[in-house]
Amino acid sequence: GDYALVSDCHSAALVSRDGSVDWCCFHRFDARPVFARLLDWDRGGHFRIAPVGRYTVTRRYRPGTNVLETCFEADDGVLVVVDCMAMRRRAGAPDATRTHSHHQLLRLVRCEGGRVRVHVEFAPRFDYGLTIPRLELRGDVAVVYGGADALVLQSELPVTQVEVCSCAGEADLRAGDEAFVALTYALPHQLDVHRIDRDEVRSRIDVTCRFWVDWSARCTYEGSYREQVVRSALVLKALTNAPTGAIVAAPTTSLPEDVGGVRNWDYRYAWLRDAALNLYALFALGYTEEAHAFMSWVERTTAGRAEDLQIMYGVGGERFLPEIELGNLDGYRGSRPVRIGNAAVEQFQLDVYGYLLDTAWLYHRAGGDITPSFWGFLTGVVDVVDRRWCSPDEGIWEVRGGRRHFVSSKVMAWVAVDRAIRLARARRLPADLARWTALRAEIRRRVEREGVDPATGAFVQAFGTRALDASNLLIPLVRFLPANDPRVRATIDRTVRELAPDGLVYRYLERDDGLPGGEATFVICSFWLVDNLALVGRTERARELFERLLGYANDVGLLAEELDPLSGELLGNFPQAFSHVGLIGAALNLARAGLGA
């Protein structure tokens, strides 16, 4: 919660309230970081600009942008630091893909009053701290080499070399004084020390601001909580890889669900599970170009045999994402292991077929085209569902304790067949509708027979258990049953009593998931509860919970994956696209409920 995100729609950095860049990947979200103090305070590397001595901090994003302003009020003066990853537009290209990156982090320092002594620390580390680079200081330029990466630092603040791999310095600024620091990434064999002046820095910041302001102004949502909805949309855009259209789940890896625990995962990839929710949010807010670009990525990436469909991919469509543990890093606040890659890519998750077909259905409803080749692939997906829906799987939460017959997975298998039937009828596409209709009915019968607790009438986590799972809050959202169905209402009531005793929702409480330790409440599950309460007419309770959730966002409006219900601490990878998509969906449902729709 101490961090703010800056992005150029290629990669991202996290800046602390202390003025320190403690996480930064250039070129791609899943690239090797050049600063990773977030995962190891001593070995990770950082880049800090802040006043010497005592100060208080306030910060904000410039309105409608992902450009950060941090204001330090020191004893003798006020210092403002502007941070952004510089963007440039490509003339004539669609909005969703017209951004190019300078692969450059800009930091503009300005004394707003009095006198401030400014301290700079620049300590890059490559390859997750494994590579200590060589730094060569050439006047106001530092050139850094290490392995497959290189950096060029140009600084108007004076710095001197401290070690072979770092430099630091201090300077006095008086009211009106301004200075910049520009950090540019390059491949070592393409390194070019291109100097820029302060006017060029200001111009690049202005261009970046204009891009974000123009983009956020396109949001068509005008209901309540527009500021929070627009901020969440800006997070989604910031987590979009502009060249491909893919949206990553988060820009970070291994931020723990349980501080000191082992539930630490790499989320810098694109999940098909997220696709339907992302597409729904983009279309609902008027971002049609982004939605089309994202759907193009889905169609390209899933090409091939339906049997080979994965739950997640790299931003370029990569399928090989092996999970590796980095024993050299301490982890966030001692949370080991640090992982890169994600072994869940090898899991069987039945629900992925439903999310893919739902994505295609939403795309069609928004006017998108379903090509013959993609339809051929989707019909193959239905065939896979027909063969595999009776099998147990690892489920939506990617448990590592063995496969089970998860109810939400079976529901999404039903969604896969239902959306295929709807698509075939709406677009008059070739399909074995009689067989698909019988299959859809068969899946429903089994879910309703084995997925409901006879004592309470609520849907359960898996066949043969009475345990609850918050993923069943999706049942009315994906139209498996209407919200006024008694089983849906019973599921809501039991979720409130057992999974949300304090109002915030746990994914599940029975811990047979193959991992030690526990976890906090899940943000998107709490927003799903808002959706359900709004759908069944408990509008005031829904609004109360929604506003409470907004209060857990950090000072610049960002949400992580999870919330500690006791301390309010943000946990898990950050910021989390899933959480912000949940916020957008809940705001839309509240708006509809308020209009009586």
Side-chain angles (χ1 to χ4, degrees), residues 82-319:
V82 177
D83 286 306
C84 74
M85 298 190 86
M87 305 175 75
R88 54 183 176 178
R89 296 191 180 190
R90 183 176 60 181
D95 284 349
T97 57
R98 69 181 180 182
T99 58
H100 273 194
S101 172
H102 292 282
H103 301 302
Q104 187 174 69
L105 175 67
L106 296 178
R107 314 198 72 183
L108 184 64
V109 182
R110 184 173 64 252
C111 182
E112 295 282 9
R115 173 179 171 274
V116 180
R117 187 160 185 81
V118 183
H119 180 72
V120 183
E121 298 172 5
F122 176 65
R125 299 289 185 273
F126 298 160
D127 288 321
Y128 301 91
L130 288 169
T131 300
I132 297 177
R134 184 179 79 251
L135 185 148
E136 299 174 1
L137 197 57
R138 307 172 187 173
D140 64 345
V141 173
V143 179
V144 188
Y145 297 95
D149 301 296
L151 296 170
V152 176
L153 180 79
Q154 184 180 342
S155 176
E156 287 190 315
L157 296 171
V159 293
T160 58
Q161 194 155 352
V162 178
E163 299 173 341
V164 68
C165 57
S166 62
C167 58
E170 294 184 358
D172 289 319
L173 298 183
R174 298 181 182 276
D177 289 347
E178 197 173 56
F180 76 87
V181 182
L183 180 65
T184 308
Y185 173 84
L187 298 174
H189 61 281
Q190 296 177 344
L191 186 65
D192 178 22
V193 180
H194 173 69
R195 292 174 179 266
I196 58 176
D197 58 24
R198 199 181 306 165
D199 288 341
E200 179 65 16
V201 169
R202 290 199 199 98
S203 175
R204 290 187 178 186
I205 293 174
D206 288 344
V207 167
T208 303
C209 282
R210 282 201 304 274
F211 168 81
W212 289 118
V213 167
D214 291 347
W215 189 87
S216 59
R218 287 170 44 208
C219 179
T220 56
Y221 178 77
E222 296 294 343
S224 301
Y225 312 108
R226 188 177 191 278
E227 180 182 348
Q228 292 88 346
V229 168
V230 170
R231 174 52 52 199
S232 292
L234 283 163
V235 171
L236 284 187
K237 181 64 173 175
L239 298 182
T240 301
N241 179 263
T244 68
I247 302 175
V248 297
T252 55
T253 180
S254 301
L255 297 187
E257 299 170 7
D258 178 25
V259 174
V262 301
R263 297 169 183 258
N264 318 317
W265 316 111
D266 193 347
Y267 277 8
R268 298 172 297 159
Y269 307 112
W271 267 254
L272 288 186
R273 178 179 302 118
D274 302 9
L277 294 174
N278 289 339
L279 202 72
Y280 168 71
L282 291 171
F283 274 130
L285 302 183
Y287 292 110
T288 55
E289 291 89 350
E290 284 75 10
H292 284 291
F294 182 54
M295 192 63 196
S296 295
W297 175 85
V298 170
E299 185 172 349
R300 291 192 309 269
T301 300
T302 57
R305 298 190 313 160
E307 291 86 349
D308 299 329
L309 190 69
Q310 296 185 178
I311 67 165
M312 74 179 86
Y313 298 87
V315 296
E318 295 84 359
R319 293 170 177 258

Side-chain angles (χ1 to χ4, degrees), residues 13-30:
L14 294 182
V15 187
S16 77
R17 289 174 58 85
D18 203 32
S20 183
V21 180
D22 289 346
W23 179 258
C24 181
C25 297
F26 281 105
H27 180 57
R28 278 175 49 135
F29 294 105
D30 57 352

Side-chain angles (χ1 to χ4, degrees), residues 307-364:
E307 291 86 349
D308 299 329
L309 190 69
Q310 296 185 178
I311 67 165
M312 74 179 86
Y313 298 87
V315 296
E318 295 84 359
R319 293 170 177 258
F320 186 59
L321 309 173
E323 185 172 293
I324 301 169
E325 295 185 2
L326 301 179
N328 63 303
L329 297 179
D330 289 340
Y332 178 84
R333 292 168 59 189
S335 304
R336 288 182 168 179
V338 170
R339 295 180 173 96
I340 56 174
N342 199 313
V345 73
E346 300 173 1
Q347 289 186 349
F348 168 49
Q349 296 179 21
L350 181 63
D351 62 346
V352 70
Y353 306 119
Y355 289 109
L356 177 60
L357 264 299
D358 199 33
T359 301
W361 171 247
L362 289 169
Y363 187 63
H364 149 74

